Amino acid sequence: MYYRTAYPSPVGRITLACDGNSLVGLWLEGQKYFGDTEKMTENDDMPVFLAAKDWLDRYFAGAKPAAAELPLAPSGGEFRQIVWDILREIPYGETVTYGDIAKKTAIRMNRESMSSQAVGGAVGHNPISIIIPCHRVVGANGSLTGYAGGIGTKIKLLELEGVDLSHLFVPNKGTAL
């Protein structure tokens, strides 16, 4: 059985989902690949939700809580799990490129190389956004592309973390606009 609750945030309403013990979803209202919460039972008092809301309160207050503080159980295959683990390693207030993640993924999968586009797909399908910080991933050329919650939200999150956006830009066209 899965449960859901809502969290009002500075970037809009967030829906949290859990399996009773671990967080399985965090979606921004209107984001691409929003989880199917219709089959979930509303329950605001689950201990994991209370912990996640506390984490989010601290995050939006400018603290630097770590993803490891919460029990996370994103659903996905081996490739996506590896990519999401790498996302969790991106330090607060820093960005990395899809290519950087592709190189690390290739190493962990004992391959010579990995497609940045395949990594982009896994990043885009991250079911626990913000906590698993997919907003910290940018294009190799500095493009702020590829955030399922929208470019505006990505910029707000990066600004909150104090990222220097002067070398980054919003693309004129792309999948995240």
Side-chain angles (χ1 to χ4, degrees):
M1 178 169 246
Y2 290 94
Y3 304 92
R4 72 174 186 271
T5 191
Y7 175 85
S9 85
V11 294
R13 179 185 160 104
I14 290 174
T15 298
L16 298 165
C18 79
D19 62 7
N21 298 309
S22 299
L23 203 63
V24 298
L26 185 157
W27 303 283
L28 298 154
E29 190 168 26
Q31 94 171 44
K32 201 173 181 182
Y33 314 121
F34 195 92
D36 181 11
T37 60
E38 294 302 314
K39 298 175 184 171
M40 298 180 188
T41 303
E42 186 82 23
N43 188 331
D44 298 329
D45 298 321
M46 302 292 293
V48 69
F49 287 156
L50 299 175
K53 289 175 180 182
D54 175 68
W55 191 102
L56 289 165
D57 286 344
R58 290 183 290 126
Y59 175 82
F60 286 116
K64 301 176 183 178
E69 295 177 27
L70 296 171
L72 305 178
S75 179
E78 177 189 13
F79 172 70
R80 286 184 176 180
Q81 294 292 338
I82 289 169
V83 171
W84 299 335
D85 285 343
I86 293 167
L87 291 177
R88 286 179 239 195
E89 297 168 6
I90 305 170
Y92 180 98
E94 295 184 24
T95 59
V96 301
T97 68
Y98 293 96
D100 294 333
I101 296 171
K103 288 175 189 169
K104 288 182 179 182
T105 302
I107 290 168
R108 292 186 190 181
M109 295 185 79
N110 294 314
R111 295 188 178 176
E112 287 187 31
S113 64
M114 178 60 60
S115 159
S116 294
Q117 290 80 10
V119 164
V123 170
H125 284 85
N126 167 21
I128 308 177
S129 62
I130 301 175
I131 296 171
I132 298 178
C134 51
H135 60 279
R136 297 179 188 155
V137 184
V138 299
N141 63 354
S143 173
L144 288 168
T145 188
Y147 191 60
I151 294 290
T153 301
K154 183 173 190 160
I155 291 169
K156 287 179 186 177
L157 294 171
L158 293 174
E159 286 175 338
L160 173 77
E161 295 184 14
V163 172
D164 175 11
L165 300 175
S166 64
H167 66 287
L168 302 173
F169 68 94
V170 176
N172 292 327
K173 60 181 180 176
T175 58
L177 297 175

